Amino acid sequence: MPLACQPHKTCFIQNYVDIDPGRTAKDYMCGRATYEKHSGVDFRLLSAAATTPPVAVLASADGTVKAVRDGVADVFFKKAKPQDVAGRECGNGVILDHGGGWETQYCHMRQGSVRVAKDQTVKRGDQLGDAGFSGMADFAQVHISVRHDGKIVDPFLPDAAEGKCDPDARGPGMWQPAAAAAFPYKNGEMIGAAFAGAPPTVEGLEINHGDVVPLTASSPAIVLYGRFINLMKGDLVHFVASGPGSEIFDENAAPLERDKATYVAFAGKRRLGDTWPAGHYSGRVELIRDRGVIATNLVSFDLSGASGPEATGSEKSSEKSGASGQEAR
């Protein structure tokens, strides 16, 4: 793995290689967890704030440093001007030469973090730098590309004929078996869920995944939200929330009208009394596709009375094969 992180907890695959040479983007399993002409695999973090403390970018194979770049600012591409990253779309990065025409490239690293130099020999697992969001990046990540004689190779399906995906693909591809097992293929994933005092935004969560309005006894509304990547047209989100002694809501969001790379959905209820009752609150967020639940996140929250500290909370999550939402790309 090119990141020192916890798969499906602190890091996720946002985009695979676009294996289709035409105008239709397809990943190696014939899904749509990619975009047109994407040349590598994006291992994303929960937010820009998750890059502090630093998250190490690691060499995926032994090699020699062919090229490095540092000094590019960490600025989400949506907030930058195209000319700011022209010719530096990779941001801060490293290219490793593995011999025999093979090389890997690591992009979007944190400014000032690159710790290797040209012609330096590195071993698999050596730290190259830290994850960031420099160059053409809209989320904190490391992008890794694999090339052979200058041609892009999908590390999950390296022997595929050009343009041929495989919905039945099995095996680790070029990865070590443990690394491949840590990231089983997912085309649609929930990367977070929680109670809040107001709906969060996609943009806000990309900056800081923990920066949400806290739920307190005096919050004007109780909100349960889920955060998703790589949703497909027709997907819907189901919310169930209960508080002390009663159900608060049980709602479905409307089915999505198109694919969405990142998405935040939520359901909520406005406060009618003076305060929300103290006690234990529980919630369940489900991602539903083709009438089946493909991901579930369970959250719980303990709310004290208006006097003293107003709220404490904790979350639990598990993955299994009025609501609204917000999106980005």
Side-chain angles (χ1 to χ4, degrees):
M1 284 171 48
L3 271 185
C5 60
Q6 296 177 284
H8 303 294
K9 293 183 179 180
T10 63
C11 58
F12 311 83
I13 292 181
Q14 175 75 59
N15 297 301
Y16 295 94
V17 174
D18 176 17
I19 204 167
D20 192 321
R23 294 184 177 181
T24 302
K26 290 183 181 179
D27 60 45
Y28 77 101
M29 289 279 283
C30 303
R32 299 195 290 271
T34 185
Y35 59 89
E36 188 174 357
K37 301 188 184 304
H38 189 241
S39 62
V41 183
D42 291 338
F43 290 82
R44 68 161 295 146
L45 300 177
L46 285 167
S47 68
T51 64
T52 304
V55 180
V57 173
L58 309 175
S60 288
D62 298 350
T64 302
V65 178
K66 179 178 179 180
V68 299
R69 180 196 292 127
D70 205 338
V72 182
D74 290 274
V75 178
F76 284 150
F77 181 63
K78 289 179 180 178
K79 296 184 178 181
K81 298 177 181 178
Q83 60 266 29
D84 292 341
V85 296
R88 300 184 298 170
E89 290 82 1
C90 177
N92 305 309
V94 174
I95 298 176
L96 298 182
D97 185 339
H98 306 287
W102 289 95
E103 63 183 28
T104 52
Q105 183 172 12
Y106 307 77
C107 295
H108 310 305
M109 292 163 65
R110 187 173 181 172
Q111 184 179 19
S113 75
V114 176
R115 57 172 59 193
V116 294
K118 186 177 180 180
D119 298 327
Q120 180 178 337
T121 299
V122 298
K123 295 293 185 181
R124 182 176 61 205
D126 284 353
Q127 185 172 357
L128 305 177
D130 301 324
F133 44 101
S134 58
M136 192 177 287
D138 284 327
F139 49 88
Q141 61 172 295
V142 64
H143 164 110
I144 179 173
S145 290
V146 180
R147 294 187 287 265
H148 184 244
D149 292 336
K151 183 179 179 180
I152 293 294
V153 177
D154 188 330
F156 286 94
L157 198 65
D159 298 323
E162 184 175 4
K164 299 295 183 180
C165 56
D166 182 0
D168 299 315
R170 297 292 184 270
M174 296 181 71
W175 303 100
Q176 286 186 308
F183 280 101
Y185 175 80
K186 289 180 181 287
N187 185 13
E189 187 169 4
M190 189 180 334
I191 66 173
F195 283 112
T201 66
V202 171
E203 293 78 11
L205 291 175
E206 289 292 5
I207 295 170
N208 186 345
H209 62 284
D211 187 15
V212 298
V213 176
L215 177 63
T216 69
S218 58
S219 293
I222 184 169
V223 172
L224 177 62
Y225 74 89
R227 187 180 179 204
F228 306 89
I229 59 175
N230 294 320
L231 297 193
M232 296 176 62
K233 180 180 178 180
D235 288 351
L236 62 84
V237 184
H238 179 214
F239 300 91
V240 178
S242 60
S246 65
E247 182 177 88
I248 301 173
F249 52 76
D250 184 339
E251 298 181 6
N252 286 332
L256 299 185
E257 297 181 353
R258 60 185 179 88
D259 295 356
K260 296 179 179 179
T262 58
Y263 190 69
V264 173
F266 54 87
K269 184 176 181 179
R270 294 188 180 278
R271 175 171 52 83
L272 299 178
D274 291 336
T275 61
W276 293 104
H280 184 74
Y281 290 75
S282 61
R284 184 173 77 251
V285 184
E286 297 174 330
L287 175 58
I288 299 173
R289 177 176 295 166
D290 298 328
R291 299 184 179 182
V293 177
I294 65 170
T296 300
N297 202 312
L298 306 176
V299 299
S300 61
F301 197 88
D302 294 310
L303 189 65
S304 67
S307 60
E310 290 198 84
T312 58
S314 61
E315 291 182 45
K316 299 178 181 179
S317 64
S318 61
E319 294 294 332
K320 302 178 180 180
S321 289
S324 187
Q326 303 166 345
E327 59 155 320
R329 188 167 57 77

